[in-house]
Amino acid sequence: MPVPFEMPDGAPPIIPVVVIDEAEKGPALARALLQGGIQAIEVTLRTPAAAEAIALIAKEVPEICLGAGTVITPDDVQRVRAAGVDFMVSPGCTPRLHHASEASGLPFLAGAVTASEAIAMQELGYSRLKYFPADANGGVAGLKGLGGPLPGLSFCPTGGVGAKNAAEYLAAPNCFAVGGSWVAPADAIRSGDWKRIEKLAREASSLV
């Protein structure tokens, strides 16, 4: 059976989704988020530096709940598991990806945005899913719309989620967390503006 993803005890239900171009900046980023009260991070596999950044964070900042995003192949699963992640996230799911993630023993947030996709994932044993891209698929209303026929599922919406609408998403009864890049913007990571990221993390933590 798939391992359900759980936020760390007492953590705000917010997962910064980050793109890291320079691996060595990963630990400083993770520390800035922790200082701001955010206890989870999703490092997307969108750059050549991502896997190394994940490994450095796992080694140097083990207290953060470390996720890998954009996990879309069985090879990705093996790479991030070896790097030391605590959970994995994907924009969707295929039978091969499902089997690889299940074999890894890691919590996996598989993406689903339609009722058919969500039902298919529920049949495989998933109870928590990623809702992506959220705003492009009805936003809060679209998310809530899945709650009536699928009460056994809860979602982490990402894609268009930011400071202005995160609280509205979190108020939905079938939303257990939100993910987004607004807490750790790419330009702040590139410039090493950790104070700005810490401030944004603190503001995000106060939303709930």
Side-chain angles (χ1 to χ4, degrees), residues 173-184:
N174 59 339
C175 175
F176 73 90
V178 296
S181 60
W182 89 96
V183 182

Side-chain angles (χ1 to χ4, degrees), residues 11-28:
I14 295 168
I15 305 172
V17 179
V18 305
V19 177
I20 300 178
D21 294 306
E22 299 170 80
E24 63 272 14
K25 290 183 176 176

Side-chain angles (χ1 to χ4, degrees), residues 30-56:
R31 293 187 190 101
L33 292 172
L34 286 171
Q35 287 292 322
I38 296 294
Q39 298 178 39
I41 183 174
E42 176 190 331
V43 180
T44 62
L45 297 182
R46 299 182 186 181
T47 69
E52 184 182 353
I54 289 169
L56 287 173

Side-chain angles (χ1 to χ4, degrees), residues 90-93 109-122 128-147 149-150 153-159 169 174:
S90 177
C93 196
L109 274 178
V113 76
T114 68
S116 292
E117 290 170 344
I119 291 169
M121 299 310 297
Q122 189 173 44
R128 292 192 162 186
L129 299 168
K130 174 175 177 168
Y131 186 71
F132 173 84
D135 264 18
N137 285 278
V140 177
L143 178 65
K144 288 182 177 178
L146 292 176
L150 300 171
L153 293 176
S154 57
F155 297 84
C156 176
T158 67
Y169 272 106
N174 59 339

Side-chain angles (χ1 to χ4, degrees), residues 156-171:
C156 176
T158 67
V161 180
K164 293 182 178 179
N165 61 6
E168 187 179 3
Y169 272 106
L170 288 167

Side-chain angles (χ1 to χ4, degrees), residues 95-128:
R96 290 178 69 238
L97 183 56
H98 160 68
H99 291 307
S101 65
E102 192 173 34
S104 76
L106 291 169
F108 180 45
L109 274 178
V113 76
T114 68
S116 292
E117 290 170 344
I119 291 169
M121 299 310 297
Q122 189 173 44
E123 287 179 352
L124 291 172
Y126 291 85
S127 58
R128 292 192 162 186

